[in-house]
Amino acid sequence: KAGVTQTPRYLIKTRGQQVTLSCSPISGHRSVSWYQQTPGQGLQFLFEYFSETQRNKGNFPGRFSGRQFSNSRSEMNVSTLELGDSALYLCASSLFLAGDSTDTQYFGPGTRLTVL
Amino acid sequence: AQKVTQAQTEISVVEKEDVTLDCVYETRDTTYYLFWYKQPPSGELVFLIRRNSFDEQNEISGRYSWNFQKSTSSFNFTITASQVVDSAVYFCALSEAENSGAGSYQLTFGKGTKLSVIP
């Protein structure tokens, strides 16, 4: 079974531009989460989607947004890019089964965004 | 608020030595979930183990073992007979049931421990 895929793997943008990152979950997984990883702040939760609805949101400005499609694929968008948005953006998916105490999140390889 | 502390920033060991990575967590929730992930240089987070707060049984999987102690809020990870391929950054993470439903996880990560295994 294929793992979580993210595209593109690398991206270079300039300040003020906007960017869209894509994530395809493991087949059958219905929940998708996004995380930002930077050297200074570490790994931080951005948001989570299930059934095309945002379930949880981390402490990030409104410039960060996302959505999920009916096939569970997800995109995240960052508008008006700032230098501090340079990071590795990781997507994770999980099955989302009621009462499943073994379910967990599996991560993709990430998209490395550089803002110049 | 939930918090995960990995006090060891970097550890270097010689191949075949045993090494323990420490993780201490803080949570107000009575039900929570703990995880360990490995991040090799390629960047992808690799899932290693999940432990539920209501299951304090420790686990051994090959060269890996985990020691979960609710009394000290610790979830330590030991690699026995380390190998060069174990070199990576290891993250401990916590998800509270309050922020989670079935399959829903808002993970709080520690800062990670960089393990270098020297041949």
Side-chain angles (χ1 to χ4, degrees):
Chain A
K1 186 183 275 191
V4 177
T5 58
Q6 292 186 246
T7 56
R9 292 293 310 280
Y10 302 91
L11 206 49
I12 299 175
K13 292 287 188 178
T14 56
R15 277 181 302 175
Q17 287 186 311
Q18 76 166 20
V19 67
T20 299
L21 312 182
S22 181
C23 171
S24 292
I26 293 172
S27 177
H29 283 197
R30 302 184 295 165
S31 171
V32 174
S33 297
W34 290 89
Y35 293 81
Q36 180 196 64
Q37 185 177 25
T38 60
Q41 298 299 317
L43 278 155
Q44 294 184 287
F45 172 79
L46 278 159
F47 27 64
E48 181 201 4
Y49 287 88
F50 171 72
S51 194
E52 302 177 62
T53 301
Q54 187 179 90
R55 287 175 43 91
N56 289 311
K57 189 178 194 303
N59 188 25
F60 278 83
R63 298 185 298 105
F64 291 81
S65 63
R67 60 177 175 168
Q68 186 182 34
F69 302 96
S70 58
N71 61 358
S72 295
R73 192 177 69 83
S74 176
E75 290 182 345
M76 69 162 281
N77 184 277
V78 187
S79 62
T80 318
L81 285 166
E82 300 177 1
L83 295 178
D85 297 332
S86 294
L88 180 66
Y89 290 88
L90 291 160
C91 170
S93 74
S94 65
L95 275 168
F96 204 97
L97 290 177
D100 185 348
S101 63
T102 63
D103 191 20
T104 194
Q105 286 189 330
Y106 295 92
F107 284 79
T111 293
R112 186 163 295 281
L113 172 65
T114 301
V115 182
L116 303 176
Chain B
Q2 54 187 3
K3 184 179 178 181
V4 176
T5 302
Q6 295 180 253
Q8 305 151 309
T9 305
E10 293 192 42
I11 299 177
S12 290
V13 297
V14 177
E15 200 171 20
K16 297 184 182 177
E17 285 185 344
D18 299 347
V19 57
T20 295
L21 309 183
D22 298 331
C23 173
V24 175
Y25 60 91
E26 295 177 29
T27 176
R28 293 173 299 184
D29 218 338
T30 55
T31 300
Y32 51 89
Y33 316 105
L34 295 164
F35 305 82
W36 275 95
Y37 285 89
K38 170 183 178 180
Q39 188 175 43
S42 61
E44 181 172 346
L45 282 172
V46 178
F47 168 72
L48 295 176
I49 191 171
R50 163 188 171 147
R51 178 61 67 223
N52 304 325
S53 59
F54 44 85
D55 178 8
E56 290 193 66
Q57 182 178 357
N58 292 316
E59 182 166 334
I60 297 175
S61 176
R63 296 185 298 107
Y64 297 166
S65 62
W66 291 269
N67 186 358
F68 176 34
Q69 301 259 354
K70 278 181 83 169
S71 60
T72 56
S73 297
S74 65
F75 185 41
N76 298 335
F77 171 37
T78 298
I79 302 174
T80 303
S82 60
Q83 300 176 1
V84 173
V85 293
D86 296 328
S87 297
V89 180
Y90 290 83
F91 291 95
C92 180
L94 165 72
S95 180
E96 294 177 332
E98 183 180 85
N99 292 324
S100 305
S104 173
Y105 303 103
Q106 182 173 330
L107 294 176
T108 295
F109 285 88
K111 293 294 188 183
T113 298
K114 182 178 181 181
L115 174 64
S116 298
V117 181
I118 304 165

